[in-house]
Structure formats: structure tokens, C-alpha cells
Amino acid sequence: MNDETAELLFDVIGRLEKSIIARDCPAIVALRGERQLVLSDYDYLRDEQSATAFETRAAAKAQEIAATRWIFAVPQVWLITPDKVYSRAVSNHPLREGEQEAITWMSFDQSNGVDYGRVPYTRRPNGEPVFDDPEMFTVAVRPAEHMPGYTLLQACFPDS
């Protein structure tokens, strides 16, 4: 990940952390091309149709501004098993055993390709989130259709 993409990543993560502290859970995408746009959607985690609609709108904006890089991030609940990573939408319900809240992110840079990662966080007894540093996956990741950013990536680059 180059410095410009890392700067954009920290901007998006910072925005999402502030939203989570305010008890909001939007999906956020920052697109940088001929100009920079930041889009958010509070219905993203509601259902698959809402998620797909937001990513499709974001892809249209990415093409409109000739985006050369973007960051997509959304809060989720993760359950990591020896074989798989499961994720679900965040909610007001307590976490189940083994679950952890995290900001899931995907980055795209025209010269460096796609990276994936997360920002795990825990909550103090009063509910205040405490965020870790962003992590980038160092193992090969093949995004599934339900992964945040997948529709955006496919709309921008159908052969990826």
C-alpha cells in the first residue's frame, strides 16, 4: 500500500471510528480521482439489497470521477474459526462467544491493486469502543460475493 492510499485509509477509518463512538454504523467509501468524494450509507448493514445498491452507486461515482484509488469500510462482527471467517452486521445485542467487532476494509489503488484488512475493537464496560491499529491481511484473500466492497470492485473491474 502506498502512502496516498494509506492516508486515505486512515481518513476513512477515522471517520468510521467517530461514527461508531456516536453509535452510528454506516458504510463509508472514499473515492479519489479527478476529485475526492466520500459517501456513506446507514442502511448498508440492513440487508443485501441495500448493500448492493450502495456499492453500485459508489461504483458509478468512481467511474464518474475516474477514481484511481478508493477505500471501502464497514463495521461488522467477526467470528474467526480454524477454517473460515464468518461476519455479520453489528447490532445492539451482546456478542456471542468468540465474536469480535471490527471495521472491515478493502482498498483499491490503480498501481498497487487490492488490499484487505480490519480494525478490531473492543468495548469498555460503559460501551465505549477502543480501537486497535488497522491490520492488513498478508495471506491471499479471495473475496466472497457478500464481502463488503465486492460489488464495488466487480462493477469497476469486472475481470478481477
Side-chain angles (χ1 to χ4, degrees):
M1 176 178 294
N2 65 32
D3 290 344
E4 289 183 50
T5 305
E7 173 195 340
L8 195 59
L9 173 65
F10 284 107
D11 176 50
V12 170
I13 296 302
R15 289 170 188 258
L16 196 46
E17 287 176 354
K18 287 177 186 172
S19 291
I20 292 167
I21 290 168
R23 302 208 182 268
D24 290 330
C25 295
I28 298 177
V29 62
L31 310 164
R32 189 174 287 168
E34 295 168 353
R35 64 184 195 276
Q36 181 169 314
L37 292 175
V38 178
L39 310 170
S40 63
D41 187 276
Y42 290 87
D43 291 333
Y44 184 88
L45 293 171
R46 186 180 59 193
D47 56 44
E48 192 173 319
Q49 293 81 9
S50 297
T52 300
F54 176 62
E55 290 191 38
T56 301
R57 287 191 308 273
K61 290 293 185 184
Q63 292 168 348
E64 182 181 306
I65 66 165
T68 56
R69 70 178 43 88
W70 47 260
I71 304 288
F72 187 92
V74 63
Q76 292 187 308
V77 174
W78 284 42
L79 175 62
I80 301 172
T81 69
D83 302 333
K84 235 177 178 176
V85 174
Y86 298 92
S87 63
R88 65 174 175 85
V90 293
S91 71
N92 292 326
H93 301 291
L95 297 175
R96 295 175 222 145
E97 187 172 332
E99 290 184 327
Q100 179 181 30
E101 291 179 292
I103 296 170
T104 304
W105 60 266
M106 175 189 289
S107 70
F108 169 79
D109 181 277
Q110 193 170 32
S111 58
N112 292 334
V114 179
D115 288 310
Y116 306 92
R118 71 182 192 141
V119 178
Y121 61 98
T122 56
R123 293 191 183 266
R124 293 188 170 125
N126 68 357
E128 178 186 354
V130 178
F131 300 95
D132 287 342
D133 292 328
E135 301 171 354
M136 185 184 315
F137 301 136
T138 56
V139 296
V141 176
R142 298 289 306 161
E145 287 184 33
H146 66 278
M147 184 174 179
Y150 180 85
T151 300
L152 174 59
L153 182 64
Q154 294 302 307
C156 291
F157 305 98
D159 296 330
S160 57

